[in-house]
Amino acid sequence: MSKVRKFMTKWQEVFIWVVAIAFVAGIALWALAVNYSPASRSGVKRTIEEAIGYVTVEGTPVKNEKYWVFPEEVEEYYGNLLAMYGNPQLDTAVEVPYVKTLILVDKLNKKLLSYYAEVEKITADKKKVEEELRKEIDEVKKDQNKLQQIKREYGSLSKYEKVKKQEITEKLILETAKDKVAAVTEELLKKEYQKKKNEIIEKYTKAEVKYVTFSKKEELDNFIKLAMEKGFTDAASELKLTPTDYTLKKGTFPEEIEKEIFEATSSLVSIPYQDTYYVFNVIKVEKADTYDVFKQNSGYSEWYEEFRNQRFADNFKKWREKNKVDFEISDPVYKAWYLALITEEGKLIDVYKKFYERFFDEKDKVKTNIPYEEKAAFLVLADRILASTDTTLEHVKEDVKNFEKKIVLSIYNQIKGSSREILRRMKEYYPAKKDIAFQYYSKLYDDIKPYLSVGGAFYVMNQLFEVYQGFGELAEATDVSIDIRADSLYKLYEMNKLLDDPKTAKGYLQKLKALKPDYKINFESAEKELDEMIKSKETKESTSTTNGATPTTETSESTKTESNAQK
């Protein structure tokens, strides 16, 4: 795995995780063991006033604290989660409370299901518990480092085993409860398939292929003849062709062309399409024409889980309503975020009124005693109202926008430049404040800089263009301080150096030297470094030209970035 890919994997998966939890509405992390807080492990008696959320029956909190969630549970889970993905820096004002709210909701939904299991007297299969426990303990014993770590934390392996057994038992109870609520049968699956047969066929019919293309029919015929003799791979190798791996789905080509591939009796299929001749090596075809055929499709498990999750959500909602079981979030920050995120569009006006009373005084000024994380929930609500097509919200949109502006300024005054999202909104609301623009571009640059340092500009191209253009405008502006202009030039110099474009970097370095000769940089050393980079690149390009090679992709990308950004 390359440095770029490894880096992207760590950062991108966090946001994939966030989307996944939001989509499944909190019942998402079934593969993870149940986390117990240090307090619950040590048997410390807690009060409901300490909890940030709890299960309720007929509006009254359940007395058993196993159905409560405490602050340290969310914090511990949040910390462990980020550690798994290399501790990415999330936005303090919007992303951190958003993620923590999702974690809390996830935990509360698990508490609801655990309560259901108790009411319905659902237990875990003891044999499965022992099997999973033995597997876990055997793995621990194989890893001496992990074993010693567990002994330090728990005192002994036997104490850890006791805690782990409780976790596994709870996990299996939840899984069993979910299965019972969903109540999925083969008959139901067949009915659902028949109901959505056309949609399923369209989505899950696919072919794994390799293909090469030709512009002339003679080239095609030559390749086909060779492939018939030696096989697709050897024929492509002999003709110095690089086949493209592709997953062909319905809707890629006209229906009659796709039929030739999906119904192919030979692994070799040639097709003329839009002045290009395609030769496909059909490796595997997956269909969904009947339910039994679909069960063999690799996409069946995905479809099954979606159906099961929807059945669970619908049935569990009915059970909760019938038995008047719900949860309550008592922490004001998480409660505000939860309301902003999940309230139905038709009820947004009610939440807007609540937020107004909570965040503003009688003179329409933002209250100063409200945590900035809580006030940030207003931004989510405002975005939803302003984007809504519900005509009943039209009369409040102008007020919402004005109040949002006040909230943004209030949060900025509390935390200054620590939130990129707040800086972005400040820049939009106060375009004349160039120092705000500089803070925003600097924050955005700090976020994308790690990608540039490992050659990953492609992954952050849109942000790169925004930063490049922003610093370019500030560097040339006449209505900003020399310090901001100088810092902007320095960042443009540094950015181009990271993009492996020393010539452009040198141009910005010279502008910086002319603007502020006493800037905090050793100009002589910096120029020498750039000259060496230029010389090295010219030598490589000369060698490449001599050998008949073409410039590398990275060089081309760098040049493209420079020209587009300067435009």
Side-chain angles (χ1 to χ4, degrees):
M1 182 182 285
S2 68
K3 280 201 298 183
V4 175
R5 192 168 300 279
K6 188 180 295 183
F7 183 86
M8 288 303 300
T9 300
K10 281 185 177 180
W11 283 56
Q12 286 187 332
E13 284 184 350
V14 173
F15 300 100
I16 291 171
W17 172 85
V18 168
V19 172
I21 294 187
F23 180 75
V24 187
I27 310 294
L29 305 180
W30 296 100
L32 297 181
V34 178
N35 286 314
Y36 290 87
S37 68
S40 65
R41 282 201 290 260
S42 61
V44 176
K45 189 70 175 174
R46 308 296 292 272
T47 65
I48 199 164
E49 287 76 22
E50 297 175 76
I52 55 177
Y54 41 78
V55 173
T56 63
V57 178
E58 296 186 347
T60 302
V62 174
K63 292 182 179 180
N64 191 335
E65 68 179 76
K66 69 182 278 190
Y67 299 117
W68 307 346
V69 178
F70 297 98
E72 67 271 13
E73 294 181 69
V74 171
E75 294 299 328
E76 181 182 29
Y77 196 102
Y78 174 77
N80 290 340
L81 183 75
L82 292 194
M84 286 170 58
Y85 297 104
N87 292 306
Q89 297 300 308
L90 301 189
D91 191 292
T92 55
V94 291
E95 290 175 341
V96 172
Y98 172 53
V99 172
K100 288 183 179 180
T101 300
L102 294 179
I103 291 172
L104 173 59
V105 172
D106 177 66
K107 285 185 170 293
L108 286 169
N109 273 306
K110 285 193 175 87
K111 300 287 185 184
L112 286 174
L113 191 56
S114 181
Y115 182 78
Y116 165 86
E118 182 180 291
V119 171
E120 298 296 324
K121 295 180 172 55
I122 294 172
T123 58
D125 185 317
K126 291 182 179 180
K127 186 177 179 181
K128 285 186 177 179
V129 172
E130 289 302 323
E131 286 176 356
E132 287 203 24
L133 182 60
R134 285 276 63 91
K135 184 179 178 181
E136 171 69 23
I137 299 303
D138 287 345
E139 288 298 316
V140 168
K141 288 178 178 178
K142 291 177 185 176
D143 187 337
Q144 284 301 310
N145 290 332
K146 188 173 183 180
L147 178 59
Q148 294 306 316
Q149 181 183 348
I150 285 171
K151 286 181 177 179
R152 285 194 299 272
E153 184 177 348
Y154 293 86
S156 68
L157 183 60
S158 60
K159 288 182 180 179
Y160 170 76
E161 188 172 344
K162 186 178 179 181
V163 172
K164 202 65 189 175
K165 184 175 183 177
Q166 185 182 2
E167 291 182 2
I168 292 170
T169 301
E170 182 69 14
K171 185 189 73 166
L172 291 178
I173 287 173
L174 293 180
E175 289 175 351
T176 305
K178 187 177 183 183
D179 284 337
K180 182 175 179 178
V181 174
V184 175
T185 65
E186 192 71 3
E187 184 181 353
L188 281 173
L189 291 167
K190 287 179 179 178
K191 284 183 179 179
E192 182 69 9
Y193 170 82
Q194 290 299 330
K195 181 181 174 182
K196 298 181 178 178
K197 182 175 180 179
N198 292 337
E199 179 186 322
I200 290 170
I201 291 173
E202 188 73 19
K203 182 177 180 180
Y204 292 103
T205 301
K206 62 181 181 179
E208 299 296 335
V209 302
K210 291 179 181 287
Y211 72 86
V212 290
T213 60
F214 303 94
S215 57
K216 297 178 181 178
K217 191 171 186 307
E218 307 85 68
E219 295 173 339
L220 167 72
D221 292 339
N222 181 42
F223 178 80
I224 291 289
K225 183 179 178 181
L226 195 60
M228 294 292 284
E229 295 174 3
K230 300 186 175 183
F232 180 90
T233 302
D234 288 345
S237 178
E238 186 169 319
L239 295 177
K240 293 182 172 56
L241 299 172
T242 304
T244 300
D245 293 316
Y246 191 69
T247 300
L248 181 69
K249 295 186 176 182
K250 280 184 170 290
T252 306
F253 291 109
E255 188 176 345
E256 62 274 13
I257 292 179
E258 290 181 347
K259 188 175 180 181
E260 289 193 46
I261 296 172
F262 292 130
E263 304 295 335
T265 55
S266 168
S267 62
L268 210 60
V269 178
S270 61
I271 297 171
Y273 180 64
Q274 294 183 346
D275 301 324
T276 300
Y277 296 96
Y278 289 81
V279 180
F280 292 94
N281 179 27
V282 183
I283 299 167
K284 181 182 180 183
V285 174
E286 294 191 79
K287 297 182 180 181
D289 299 338
T290 67
Y291 177 72
D292 288 335
V293 169
F294 181 43
K295 285 189 74 172
Q296 307 306 313
N297 191 301
S298 61
Y300 177 81
S301 58
E302 173 192 316
W303 173 80
Y304 172 84
E305 282 303 316
E306 287 178 1
F307 177 68
R308 176 174 175 260
N309 285 335
Q310 191 57 56
R311 283 271 305 176
F312 168 78
D314 294 342
N315 292 344
F316 197 44
K317 182 181 179 181
K318 291 175 185 175
W319 183 87
R320 287 170 56 185
E321 290 173 349
K322 179 182 176 181
N323 293 276
K324 298 180 181 178
V325 176
D326 205 345
F327 65 69
E328 177 70 23
I329 296 175
S330 54
D331 181 273
V333 173
Y334 298 137
K335 187 169 187 174
W337 272 86
Y338 182 66
L339 287 173
L341 289 167
I342 62 92
T343 300
E344 296 174 2
E345 193 169 43
K347 297 180 180 178
L348 288 177
I349 192 72
D350 297 329
V351 178
Y352 166 60
K353 290 176 182 177
K354 288 180 181 177
F355 277 14
Y356 172 78
E357 292 175 1
R358 170 71 175 161
F359 300 142
F360 294 90
D361 62 21
E362 65 279 359
K363 295 181 180 180
D364 288 346
K365 291 184 178 180
V366 182
K367 295 176 183 176
T368 57
N369 61 338
I370 307 292
Y372 70 86
E373 299 96 334
E374 185 181 351
K375 286 187 285 190
F378 187 91
L379 306 182
V380 178
L381 181 72
D383 286 348
R384 290 187 63 193
I385 290 175
L386 294 173
S388 174
T389 56
D390 188 338
T391 55
T392 62
L393 295 171
E394 287 300 321
H395 71 288
V396 299
K397 285 188 175 181
E398 195 59 40
D399 284 343
V400 167
K401 198 165 185 178
N402 290 331
F403 288 135
E404 181 201 359
K405 183 177 180 179
K406 291 182 178 182
I407 289 286
V408 168
L409 180 59
S410 173
I411 295 175
Y412 175 77
N413 287 335
Q414 278 182 272
I415 63 175
K416 299 304 177 184
S418 62
S419 165
R420 192 181 83 192
E421 178 59 21
I422 296 303
L423 286 171
R424 183 188 70 80
R425 293 180 189 243
M426 283 288 292
K427 182 176 73 72
E428 290 182 0
Y429 277 127
Y430 304 95
K433 291 181 177 289
K434 301 300 182 183
D435 58 323
I436 298 292
F438 177 76
Q439 287 181 61
Y440 168 68
Y441 293 126
S442 296
K443 191 75 173 173
L444 183 55
Y445 177 52
D446 287 343
D447 288 344
I448 69 171
K449 189 175 175 180
Y451 295 88
L452 308 186
S453 65
V454 292
F458 173 80
Y459 296 101
V460 290
M461 197 60 75
N462 290 337
Q463 295 94 323
L464 177 59
F465 286 153
E466 183 182 2
V467 168
Y468 206 112
Q469 184 177 0
F471 282 138
E473 290 173 355
L474 289 172
E476 299 298 326
T478 56
D479 58 343
V480 300
S481 68
I482 289 180
D483 285 344
I484 287 180
R485 290 182 62 196
D487 285 340
S488 297
L489 286 169
Y490 176 80
K491 290 183 185 297
L492 288 166
Y493 144 75
E494 182 184 57
M495 201 183 310
N496 279 283
K497 191 171 75 167
L498 290 172
L499 289 168
D500 196 26
D501 187 356
K503 286 185 178 179
T504 304
K506 188 172 182 179
Y508 283 118
L509 186 65
Q510 290 170 343
K511 286 184 178 182
L512 174 59
K513 187 176 182 180
L515 177 68
K516 194 168 185 177
D518 59 344
Y519 192 79
K520 53 182 185 296
I521 184 177
N522 187 321
F523 286 101
E524 185 178 346
S525 297
E527 287 175 354
K528 184 179 179 181
E529 180 187 16
L530 293 176
D531 286 338
E532 289 174 354
M533 288 176 67
I534 291 169
K535 186 177 180 180
S536 176
K537 284 178 70 69
E538 287 175 347
T539 301
K540 287 180 182 177
E541 288 171 5
S542 175
T543 304
S544 298
T545 304
T546 303
N547 295 335
T550 56
T552 64
T553 303
E554 282 191 314
T555 303
S556 301
E557 282 182 3
S558 174
T559 306
K560 196 185 301 179
T561 302
E562 173 202 337
S563 61
N564 287 338
Q566 288 181 338
K567 285 178 185 177

